[in-house]
Amino acid sequence: MKFTKTLIAASLAVMSADSLAAAFQLAEQNASGLGRAYAGEASVADDASVVSRNPALMSVFKEKQLSVAGIAVIPDVSLRGTEASNASTDPNQLNDSSIAPSAIIPAGYFVMPIDDKFSIGFGAFSNFGLATEFDADYPAGQLAGETEIVTVNMNVSGSYKINEQFSVGLGLNYIYADAKIIRNFGANPFGVPAQTEAVHLEGDDTGFGWNVGAMYQLDENSRFGFNYRSETDITFDGEYSNQLPASAPFNGLAGASIPGSVEITLPAIAEFSGSHQLDDKTGLHYSVMWTGWESFDKLEAQVEGRDTPVFSKEENFSDAMRFSIGGDYQLNDAVLLRAGIAYDESPADKNHMSISIPDTDRFWYSFGVNYTMSEQSNLDIGMSILRGKTQKFTEPDNLGQQWGFESNGHAYLFGAQYNYTF
């Protein structure tokens, strides 16, 4: 792939991650929320990361604050082969103990009150990311290979405090996205080496979106919040190549490159949250999140001069919900403990399951702590254990071969965040 990458594109190397919320959606915008499974994110005003989940909450801040976070992602996504219609392949050859690499997801935020009504904020974070990688000679190579989608969301937000109970916020988002799709020929009846690249496309693009938020302070102990994030259309423009012979019946490119692109729509997201201080030590938080995954119906690569796509995979996703509940407990003046659980619905169609974007319903079990170091600074530490359901499915390739799999998707998340008040 030969196209110019900007400095921010170079920094994306640490941001590829396995799909940890529904499909390739990421929930990991901060480490403070990680400790309670991101329950109450649209209503809790813990730190400057409110920029990512509900800009209306910036009206709660009386002083400037900077928050810097990093989430370590250790996925455990494995496959076991159950069927191979290609007679030369034993289903056990499809076994793979880890198809998703570990990664670190960084984020940074700054909130600044202007007066007693207006506040502004800035953030850099990611809402979507995916990386799966198989060996080049994997038998089901046309389904596997490498798949990577990485996004960086740069946000500027403002909030306005209408009165003591109600605040609103608006955010504008500049999104940089980078994608890679590689598919190998795999086991086949034509004698073509399995590691031969049948599809190789890399590209990047930028897009714009917006989000709006609202906050209602019922009383000094109860707060509700709502945030909506718009869809964003992304066209990954780059170059396409393959290693197939130029002669019939393959009509390949023999390694030559031509312009190519992949179009996707990053889905809209809506979240409603509530937070309640039950007493002077205990808080309760909950969230319901909707993601409009119906906008993601297929993954398709187009090249100049061809009317039909060179790569196409039906996804047929459906809208998905996420439910979370968590709490915190003020152990002493310096230590705040957190815990939470969550349930993520998968948007994947049971009839269109894919090993390149593995997905399943999953449960989150989360724990965390906030430690106050001084009047100006505090530190958040969080961890989550994600447990996915076992899935059994069959996926066909472009040669009409059938491949059967049993998949398991789990993960471990560890996060740290530093907050400094000016």
mmCIF file with all atom_site columns, all heavy atoms in Angstrom, residues 7-33:
data_model
loop_
_atom_site.group_PDB
_atom_site.id
_atom_site.type_symbol
_atom_site.label_atom_id
_atom_site.label_alt_id
_atom_site.label_comp_id
_atom_site.label_asym_id
_atom_site.label_entity_id
_atom_site.label_seq_id
_atom_site.pdbx_PDB_ins_code
_atom_site.Cartn_x
_atom_site.Cartn_y
_atom_site.Cartn_z
_atom_site.occupancy
_atom_site.B_iso_or_equiv
_atom_site.pdbx_formal_charge
_atom_site.auth_seq_id
_atom_site.auth_comp_id
_atom_site.auth_asym_id
_atom_site.auth_atom_id
_atom_site.pdbx_PDB_model_num
ATOM 1   N N   . LEU A 1 7  ? 0.750   12.102 10.766 1.00 0.00 ? 7  LEU A N   1
ATOM 2   C CA  . LEU A 1 7  ? 1.331   11.756 12.056 1.00 0.00 ? 7  LEU A CA  1
ATOM 3   C C   . LEU A 1 7  ? 0.340   10.996 12.917 1.00 0.00 ? 7  LEU A C   1
ATOM 4   O O   . LEU A 1 7  ? 0.691   10.025 13.587 1.00 0.00 ? 7  LEU A O   1
ATOM 5   C CB  . LEU A 1 7  ? 1.768   13.036 12.783 1.00 0.00 ? 7  LEU A CB  1
ATOM 6   C CG  . LEU A 1 7  ? 2.338   12.863 14.197 1.00 0.00 ? 7  LEU A CG  1
ATOM 7   C CD1 . LEU A 1 7  ? 3.592   12.000 14.129 1.00 0.00 ? 7  LEU A CD1 1
ATOM 8   C CD2 . LEU A 1 7  ? 2.641   14.213 14.806 1.00 0.00 ? 7  LEU A CD2 1
ATOM 9   N N   . ILE A 1 8  ? -0.913  11.389 12.886 1.00 0.00 ? 8  ILE A N   1
ATOM 10  C CA  . ILE A 1 8  ? -1.895  10.690 13.718 1.00 0.00 ? 8  ILE A CA  1
ATOM 11  C C   . ILE A 1 8  ? -2.121  9.280  13.228 1.00 0.00 ? 8  ILE A C   1
ATOM 12  O O   . ILE A 1 8  ? -2.371  8.364  14.005 1.00 0.00 ? 8  ILE A O   1
ATOM 13  C CB  . ILE A 1 8  ? -3.237  11.460 13.787 1.00 0.00 ? 8  ILE A CB  1
ATOM 14  C CG1 . ILE A 1 8  ? -4.111  10.864 14.886 1.00 0.00 ? 8  ILE A CG1 1
ATOM 15  C CG2 . ILE A 1 8  ? -3.962  11.435 12.442 1.00 0.00 ? 8  ILE A CG2 1
ATOM 16  C CD1 . ILE A 1 8  ? -5.297  11.712 15.223 1.00 0.00 ? 8  ILE A CD1 1
ATOM 17  N N   . ALA A 1 9  ? -1.991  9.054  11.927 1.00 0.00 ? 9  ALA A N   1
ATOM 18  C CA  . ALA A 1 9  ? -2.128  7.698  11.410 1.00 0.00 ? 9  ALA A CA  1
ATOM 19  C C   . ALA A 1 9  ? -1.028  6.809  11.965 1.00 0.00 ? 9  ALA A C   1
ATOM 20  O O   . ALA A 1 9  ? -1.250  5.652  12.301 1.00 0.00 ? 9  ALA A O   1
ATOM 21  C CB  . ALA A 1 9  ? -2.079  7.710  9.894  1.00 0.00 ? 9  ALA A CB  1
ATOM 22  N N   . ALA A 1 10 ? 0.179   7.358  12.077 1.00 0.00 ? 10 ALA A N   1
ATOM 23  C CA  . ALA A 1 10 ? 1.290   6.577  12.612 1.00 0.00 ? 10 ALA A CA  1
ATOM 24  C C   . ALA A 1 10 ? 1.034   6.172  14.057 1.00 0.00 ? 10 ALA A C   1
ATOM 25  O O   . ALA A 1 10 ? 1.446   5.104  14.497 1.00 0.00 ? 10 ALA A O   1
ATOM 26  C CB  . ALA A 1 10 ? 2.578   7.364  12.508 1.00 0.00 ? 10 ALA A CB  1
ATOM 27  N N   . SER A 1 11 ? 0.338   7.010  14.802 1.00 0.00 ? 11 SER A N   1
ATOM 28  C CA  . SER A 1 11 ? 0.075   6.708  16.210 1.00 0.00 ? 11 SER A CA  1
ATOM 29  C C   . SER A 1 11 ? -0.976  5.627  16.391 1.00 0.00 ? 11 SER A C   1
ATOM 30  O O   . SER A 1 11 ? -1.170  5.130  17.493 1.00 0.00 ? 11 SER A O   1
ATOM 31  C CB  . SER A 1 11 ? -0.387  7.978  16.938 1.00 0.00 ? 11 SER A CB  1
ATOM 32  O OG  . SER A 1 11 ? -1.684  8.346  16.532 1.00 0.00 ? 11 SER A OG  1
ATOM 33  N N   . LEU A 1 12 ? -1.657  5.242  15.328 1.00 0.00 ? 12 LEU A N   1
ATOM 34  C CA  . LEU A 1 12 ? -2.731  4.266  15.444 1.00 0.00 ? 12 LEU A CA  1
ATOM 35  C C   . LEU A 1 12 ? -2.230  2.858  15.732 1.00 0.00 ? 12 LEU A C   1
ATOM 36  O O   . LEU A 1 12 ? -3.012  1.973  16.044 1.00 0.00 ? 12 LEU A O   1
ATOM 37  C CB  . LEU A 1 12 ? -3.555  4.231  14.144 1.00 0.00 ? 12 LEU A CB  1
ATOM 38  C CG  . LEU A 1 12 ? -4.352  5.496  13.838 1.00 0.00 ? 12 LEU A CG  1
ATOM 39  C CD1 . LEU A 1 12 ? -5.024  5.378  12.488 1.00 0.00 ? 12 LEU A CD1 1
ATOM 40  C CD2 . LEU A 1 12 ? -5.383  5.762  14.901 1.00 0.00 ? 12 LEU A CD2 1
ATOM 41  N N   . ALA A 1 13 ? -0.932  2.634  15.632 1.00 0.00 ? 13 ALA A N   1
ATOM 42  C CA  . ALA A 1 13 ? -0.410  1.287  15.820 1.00 0.00 ? 13 ALA A CA  1
ATOM 43  C C   . ALA A 1 13 ? -0.796  0.712  17.175 1.00 0.00 ? 13 ALA A C   1
ATOM 44  O O   . ALA A 1 13 ? -0.947  -0.496 17.319 1.00 0.00 ? 13 ALA A O   1
ATOM 45  C CB  . ALA A 1 13 ? 1.106   1.286  15.681 1.00 0.00 ? 13 ALA A CB  1
ATOM 46  N N   . VAL A 1 14 ? -0.975  1.552  18.193 1.00 0.00 ? 14 VAL A N   1
ATOM 47  C CA  . VAL A 1 14 ? -1.318  1.054  19.519 1.00 0.00 ? 14 VAL A CA  1
ATOM 48  C C   . VAL A 1 14 ? -2.827  0.969  19.737 1.00 0.00 ? 14 VAL A C   1
ATOM 49  O O   . VAL A 1 14 ? -3.257  0.554  20.797 1.00 0.00 ? 14 VAL A O   1
ATOM 50  C CB  . VAL A 1 14 ? -0.727  1.961  20.615 1.00 0.00 ? 14 VAL A CB  1
ATOM 51  C CG1 . VAL A 1 14 ? 0.771   1.956  20.553 1.00 0.00 ? 14 VAL A CG1 1
ATOM 52  C CG2 . VAL A 1 14 ? -1.266  3.380  20.525 1.00 0.00 ? 14 VAL A CG2 1
ATOM 53  N N   . MET A 1 15 ? -3.634  1.328  18.729 1.00 0.00 ? 15 MET A N   1
ATOM 54  C CA  . MET A 1 15 ? -5.062  1.444  18.983 1.00 0.00 ? 15 MET A CA  1
ATOM 55  C C   . MET A 1 15 ? -5.891  0.326  18.379 1.00 0.00 ? 15 MET A C   1
ATOM 56  O O   . MET A 1 15 ? -7.096  0.295  18.549 1.00 0.00 ? 15 MET A O   1
ATOM 57  C CB  . MET A 1 15 ? -5.587  2.789  18.486 1.00 0.00 ? 15 MET A CB  1
ATOM 58  C CG  . MET A 1 15 ? -5.013  3.953  19.260 1.00 0.00 ? 15 MET A CG  1
ATOM 59  S SD  . MET A 1 15 ? -5.866  5.487  18.957 1.00 0.00 ? 15 MET A SD  1
ATOM 60  C CE  . MET A 1 15 ? -7.464  5.133  19.660 1.00 0.00 ? 15 MET A CE  1
ATOM 61  N N   . SER A 1 16 ? -5.298  -0.611 17.650 1.00 0.00 ? 16 SER A N   1
ATOM 62  C CA  . SER A 1 16 ? -6.056  -1.729 17.118 1.00 0.00 ? 16 SER A CA  1
ATOM 63  C C   . SER A 1 16 ? -6.510  -2.602 18.277 1.00 0.00 ? 16 SER A C   1
ATOM 64  O O   . SER A 1 16 ? -5.737  -2.926 19.153 1.00 0.00 ? 16 SER A O   1
ATOM 65  C CB  . SER A 1 16 ? -5.202  -2.550 16.162 1.00 0.00 ? 16 SER A CB  1
ATOM 66  O OG  . SER A 1 16 ? -4.797  -1.762 15.074 1.00 0.00 ? 16 SER A OG  1
ATOM 67  N N   . ALA A 1 17 ? -7.756  -3.012 18.252 1.00 0.00 ? 17 ALA A N   1
ATOM 68  C CA  . ALA A 1 17 ? -8.260  -3.806 19.368 1.00 0.00 ? 17 ALA A CA  1
ATOM 69  C C   . ALA A 1 17 ? -9.295  -4.791 18.896 1.00 0.00 ? 17 ALA A C   1
ATOM 70  O O   . ALA A 1 17 ? -9.981  -4.564 17.915 1.00 0.00 ? 17 ALA A O   1
ATOM 71  C CB  . ALA A 1 17 ? -8.877  -2.892 20.433 1.00 0.00 ? 17 ALA A CB  1
ATOM 72  N N   . ASP A 1 18 ? -9.399  -5.889 19.618 1.00 0.00 ? 18 ASP A N   1
ATOM 73  C CA  . ASP A 1 18 ? -10.463 -6.836 19.349 1.00 0.00 ? 18 ASP A CA  1
ATOM 74  C C   . ASP A 1 18 ? -11.800 -6.188 19.644 1.00 0.00 ? 18 ASP A C   1
ATOM 75  O O   . ASP A 1 18 ? -11.904 -5.250 20.416 1.00 0.00 ? 18 ASP A O   1
ATOM 76  C CB  . ASP A 1 18 ? -10.273 -8.063 20.240 1.00 0.00 ? 18 ASP A CB  1
ATOM 77  C CG  . ASP A 1 18 ? -11.456 -8.999 20.192 1.00 0.00 ? 18 ASP A CG  1
ATOM 78  O OD1 . ASP A 1 18 ? -11.892 -9.317 19.077 1.00 0.00 ? 18 ASP A OD1 1
ATOM 79  O OD2 . ASP A 1 18 ? -11.938 -9.395 21.259 1.00 0.00 ? 18 ASP A OD2 1
ATOM 80  N N   . SER A 1 19 ? -12.865 -6.678 19.031 1.00 0.00 ? 19 SER A N   1
ATOM 81  C CA  . SER A 1 19 ? -14.192 -6.127 19.284 1.00 0.00 ? 19 SER A CA  1
ATOM 82  C C   . SER A 1 19 ? -14.602 -6.472 20.710 1.00 0.00 ? 19 SER A C   1
ATOM 83  O O   . SER A 1 19 ? -14.784 -7.615 21.045 1.00 0.00 ? 19 SER A O   1
ATOM 84  C CB  . SER A 1 19 ? -15.202 -6.725 18.292 1.00 0.00 ? 19 SER A CB  1
ATOM 85  O OG  . SER A 1 19 ? -15.080 -8.128 18.242 1.00 0.00 ? 19 SER A OG  1
ATOM 86  N N   . LEU A 1 20 ? -14.760 -5.446 21.561 1.00 0.00 ? 20 LEU A N   1
ATOM 87  C CA  . LEU A 1 20 ? -14.985 -5.665 22.975 1.00 0.00 ? 20 LEU A CA  1
ATOM 88  C C   . LEU A 1 20 ? -16.360 -5.240 23.432 1.00 0.00 ? 20 LEU A C   1
ATOM 89  O O   . LEU A 1 20 ? -16.808 -5.622 24.489 1.00 0.00 ? 20 LEU A O   1
ATOM 90  C CB  . LEU A 1 20 ? -13.915 -4.935 23.786 1.00 0.00 ? 20 LEU A CB  1
ATOM 91  C CG  . LEU A 1 20 ? -12.506 -5.475 23.531 1.00 0.00 ? 20 LEU A CG  1
ATOM 92  C CD1 . LEU A 1 20 ? -11.484 -4.646 24.252 1.00 0.00 ? 20 LEU A CD1 1
ATOM 93  C CD2 . LEU A 1 20 ? -12.418 -6.927 23.942 1.00 0.00 ? 20 LEU A CD2 1
ATOM 94  N N   . ALA A 1 21 ? -17.043 -4.416 22.688 1.00 0.00 ? 21 ALA A N   1
ATOM 95  C CA  . ALA A 1 21 ? -18.457 -4.213 22.930 1.00 0.00 ? 21 ALA A CA  1
ATOM 96  C C   . ALA A 1 21 ? -19.155 -4.921 21.771 1.00 0.00 ? 21 ALA A C   1
ATOM 97  O O   . ALA A 1 21 ? -18.634 -5.873 21.227 1.00 0.00 ? 21 ALA A O   1
ATOM 98  C CB  . ALA A 1 21 ? -18.785 -2.721 22.980 1.00 0.00 ? 21 ALA A CB  1
ATOM 99  N N   . ALA A 1 22 ? -20.350 -4.486 21.379 1.00 0.00 ? 22 ALA A N   1
ATOM 100 C CA  . ALA A 1 22 ? -21.015 -5.132 20.265 1.00 0.00 ? 22 ALA A CA  1
ATOM 101 C C   . ALA A 1 22 ? -20.210 -4.937 18.990 1.00 0.00 ? 22 ALA A C   1
ATOM 102 O O   . ALA A 1 22 ? -19.757 -3.844 18.680 1.00 0.00 ? 22 ALA A O   1
ATOM 103 C CB  . ALA A 1 22 ? -22.420 -4.550 20.099 1.00 0.00 ? 22 ALA A CB  1
ATOM 104 N N   . ALA A 1 23 ? -20.014 -6.043 18.233 1.00 0.00 ? 23 ALA A N   1
ATOM 105 C CA  . ALA A 1 23 ? -19.264 -6.014 16.977 1.00 0.00 ? 23 ALA A CA  1
ATOM 106 C C   . ALA A 1 23 ? -17.908 -5.356 17.199 1.00 0.00 ? 23 ALA A C   1
ATOM 107 O O   . ALA A 1 23 ? -17.149 -5.794 18.043 1.00 0.00 ? 23 ALA A O   1
ATOM 108 C CB  . ALA A 1 23 ? -20.070 -5.323 15.887 1.00 0.00 ? 23 ALA A CB  1
ATOM 109 N N   . PHE A 1 24 ? -17.563 -4.271 16.449 1.00 0.00 ? 24 PHE A N   1
ATOM 110 C CA  . PHE A 1 24 ? -16.268 -3.629 16.665 1.00 0.00 ? 24 PHE A CA  1
ATOM 111 C C   . PHE A 1 24 ? -16.415 -2.288 17.369 1.00 0.00 ? 24 PHE A C   1
ATOM 112 O O   . PHE A 1 24 ? -15.574 -1.406 17.261 1.00 0.00 ? 24 PHE A O   1
ATOM 113 C CB  . PHE A 1 24 ? -15.485 -3.491 15.348 1.00 0.00 ? 24 PHE A CB  1
ATOM 114 C CG  . PHE A 1 24 ? -16.220 -2.803 14.224 1.00 0.00 ? 24 PHE A CG  1
ATOM 115 C CD1 . PHE A 1 24 ? -16.101 -1.443 14.029 1.00 0.00 ? 24 PHE A CD1 1
ATOM 116 C CD2 . PHE A 1 24 ? -16.996 -3.527 13.340 1.00 0.00 ? 24 PHE A CD2 1
ATOM 117 C CE1 . PHE A 1 24 ? -16.758 -0.800 12.986 1.00 0.00 ? 24 PHE A CE1 1
ATOM 118 C CE2 . PHE A 1 24 ? -17.650 -2.908 12.288 1.00 0.00 ? 24 PHE A CE2 1
ATOM 119 C CZ  . PHE A 1 24 ? -17.534 -1.538 12.114 1.00 0.00 ? 24 PHE A CZ  1
ATOM 120 N N   . GLN A 1 25 ? -17.493 -2.135 18.152 1.00 0.00 ? 25 GLN A N   1
ATOM 121 C CA  . GLN A 1 25 ? -17.664 -0.944 18.977 1.00 0.00 ? 25 GLN A CA  1
ATOM 122 C C   . GLN A 1 25 ? -16.788 -1.038 20.219 1.00 0.00 ? 25 GLN A C   1
ATOM 123 O O   . GLN A 1 25 ? -16.608 -2.109 20.799 1.00 0.00 ? 25 GLN A O   1
ATOM 124 C CB  . GLN A 1 25 ? -19.127 -0.809 19.393 1.00 0.00 ? 25 GLN A CB  1
ATOM 125 C CG  . GLN A 1 25 ? -19.434 0.441  20.190 1.00 0.00 ? 25 GLN A CG  1
ATOM 126 C CD  . GLN A 1 25 ? -20.925 0.533  20.521 1.00 0.00 ? 25 GLN A CD  1
ATOM 127 O OE1 . GLN A 1 25 ? -21.714 -0.324 20.137 1.00 0.00 ? 25 GLN A OE1 1
ATOM 128 N NE2 . GLN A 1 25 ? -21.300 1.571  21.227 1.00 0.00 ? 25 GLN A NE2 1
ATOM 129 N N   . LEU A 1 26 ? -16.215 0.081  20.627 1.00 0.00 ? 26 LEU A N   1
ATOM 130 C CA  . LEU A 1 26 ? -15.385 0.142  21.822 1.00 0.00 ? 26 LEU A CA  1
ATOM 131 C C   . LEU A 1 26 ? -16.084 0.961  22.892 1.00 0.00 ? 26 LEU A C   1
ATOM 132 O O   . LEU A 1 26 ? -16.594 2.047  22.624 1.00 0.00 ? 26 LEU A O   1
ATOM 133 C CB  . LEU A 1 26 ? -14.029 0.781  21.505 1.00 0.00 ? 26 LEU A CB  1
ATOM 134 C CG  . LEU A 1 26 ? -13.145 0.052  20.483 1.00 0.00 ? 26 LEU A CG  1
ATOM 135 C CD1 . LEU A 1 26 ? -11.897 0.874  20.210 1.00 0.00 ? 26 LEU A CD1 1
ATOM 136 C CD2 . LEU A 1 26 ? -12.779 -1.328 20.977 1.00 0.00 ? 26 LEU A CD2 1
ATOM 137 N N   . ALA A 1 27 ? -16.096 0.451  24.112 1.00 0.00 ? 27 ALA A N   1
ATOM 138 C CA  . ALA A 1 27 ? -16.647 1.193  25.245 1.00 0.00 ? 27 ALA A CA  1
ATOM 139 C C   . ALA A 1 27 ? -15.553 1.888  26.031 1.00 0.00 ? 27 ALA A C   1
ATOM 140 O O   . ALA A 1 27 ? -15.837 2.722  26.896 1.00 0.00 ? 27 ALA A O   1
ATOM 141 C CB  . ALA A 1 27 ? -17.414 0.245  26.172 1.00 0.00 ? 27 ALA A CB  1
ATOM 142 N N   . GLU A 1 28 ? -14.286 1.579  25.723 1.00 0.00 ? 28 GLU A N   1
ATOM 143 C CA  . GLU A 1 28 ? -13.168 1.953  26.580 1.00 0.00 ? 28 GLU A CA  1
ATOM 144 C C   . GLU A 1 28 ? -12.687 3.387  26.335 1.00 0.00 ? 28 GLU A C   1
ATOM 145 O O   . GLU A 1 28 ? -11.571 3.610  25.861 1.00 0.00 ? 28 GLU A O   1
ATOM 146 C CB  . GLU A 1 28 ? -12.014 0.966  26.378 1.00 0.00 ? 28 GLU A CB  1
ATOM 147 C CG  . GLU A 1 28 ? -12.356 -0.449 26.790 1.00 0.00 ? 28 GLU A CG  1
ATOM 148 C CD  . GLU A 1 28 ? -13.204 -1.182 25.762 1.00 0.00 ? 28 GLU A CD  1
ATOM 149 O OE1 . GLU A 1 28 ? -13.160 -0.828 24.576 1.00 0.00 ? 28 GLU A OE1 1
ATOM 150 O OE2 . GLU A 1 28 ? -13.928 -2.103 26.162 1.00 0.00 ? 28 GLU A OE2 1
ATOM 151 N N   . GLN A 1 29 ? -13.508 4.358  26.700 1.00 0.00 ? 29 GLN A N   1
ATOM 152 C CA  . GLN A 1 29 ? -13.097 5.757  26.564 1.00 0.00 ? 29 GLN A CA  1
ATOM 153 C C   . GLN A 1 29 ? -12.418 6.310  27.813 1.00 0.00 ? 29 GLN A C   1
ATOM 154 O O   . GLN A 1 29 ? -11.868 7.400  27.790 1.00 0.00 ? 29 GLN A O   1
ATOM 155 C CB  . GLN A 1 29 ? -14.301 6.643  26.210 1.00 0.00 ? 29 GLN A CB  1
ATOM 156 C CG  . GLN A 1 29 ? -14.710 6.586  24.755 1.00 0.00 ? 29 GLN A CG  1
ATOM 157 C CD  . GLN A 1 29 ? -15.690 5.465  24.487 1.00 0.00 ? 29 GLN A CD  1
ATOM 158 O OE1 . GLN A 1 29 ? -16.676 5.303  25.198 1.00 0.00 ? 29 GLN A OE1 1
ATOM 159 N NE2 . GLN A 1 29 ? -15.425 4.685  23.451 1.00 0.00 ? 29 GLN A NE2 1
ATOM 160 N N   . ASN A 1 30 ? -12.457 5.584  28.938 1.00 0.00 ? 30 ASN A N   1
ATOM 161 C CA  . ASN A 1 30 ? -11.801 6.036  30.162 1.00 0.00 ? 30 ASN A CA  1
ATOM 162 C C   . ASN A 1 30 ? -11.557 4.845  31.078 1.00 0.00 ? 30 ASN A C   1
ATOM 163 O O   . ASN A 1 30 ? -12.064 3.741  30.834 1.00 0.00 ? 30 ASN A O   1
ATOM 164 C CB  . ASN A 1 30 ? -12.632 7.116  30.875 1.00 0.00 ? 30 ASN A CB  1
ATOM 165 C CG  . ASN A 1 30 ? -14.026 6.624  31.226 1.00 0.00 ? 30 ASN A CG  1
ATOM 166 O OD1 . ASN A 1 30 ? -14.199 5.530  31.766 1.00 0.00 ? 30 ASN A OD1 1
ATOM 167 N ND2 . ASN A 1 30 ? -15.041 7.437  30.928 1.00 0.00 ? 30 ASN A ND2 1
ATOM 168 N N   . ALA A 1 31 ? -10.768 5.052  32.115 1.00 0.00 ? 31 ALA A N   1
ATOM 169 C CA  . ALA A 1 31 ? -10.502 3.995  33.095 1.00 0.00 ? 31 ALA A CA  1
ATOM 170 C C   . ALA A 1 31 ? -11.389 4.141  34.322 1.00 0.00 ? 31 ALA A C   1
ATOM 171 O O   . ALA A 1 31 ? -11.576 3.172  35.061 1.00 0.00 ? 31 ALA A O   1
ATOM 172 C CB  . ALA A 1 31 ? -9.038  4.010  33.506 1.00 0.00 ? 31 ALA A CB  1
ATOM 173 N N   . SER A 1 32 ? -11.936 5.329  34.569 1.00 0.00 ? 32 SER A N   1
ATOM 174 C CA  . SER A 1 32 ? -12.818 5.514  35.726 1.00 0.00 ? 32 SER A CA  1
ATOM 175 C C   . SER A 1 32 ? -14.100 4.719  35.552 1.00 0.00 ? 32 SER A C   1
ATOM 176 O O   . SER A 1 32 ? -14.548 4.019  36.466 1.00 0.00 ? 32 SER A O   1
ATOM 177 C CB  . SER A 1 32 ? -13.124 7.004  35.924 1.00 0.00 ? 32 SER A CB  1
ATOM 178 O OG  . SER A 1 32 ? -13.575 7.606  34.719 1.00 0.00 ? 32 SER A OG  1
ATOM 179 N N   . GLY A 1 33 ? -14.722 4.781  34.363 1.00 0.00 ? 33 GLY A N   1
ATOM 180 C CA  . GLY A 1 33 ? -15.931 4.016  34.104 1.00 0.00 ? 33 GLY A CA  1
ATOM 181 C C   . GLY A 1 33 ? -15.690 2.529  33.991 1.00 0.00 ? 33 GLY A C   1
ATOM 182 O O   . GLY A 1 33 ? -16.590 1.721  34.231 1.00 0.00 ? 33 GLY A O   1
#
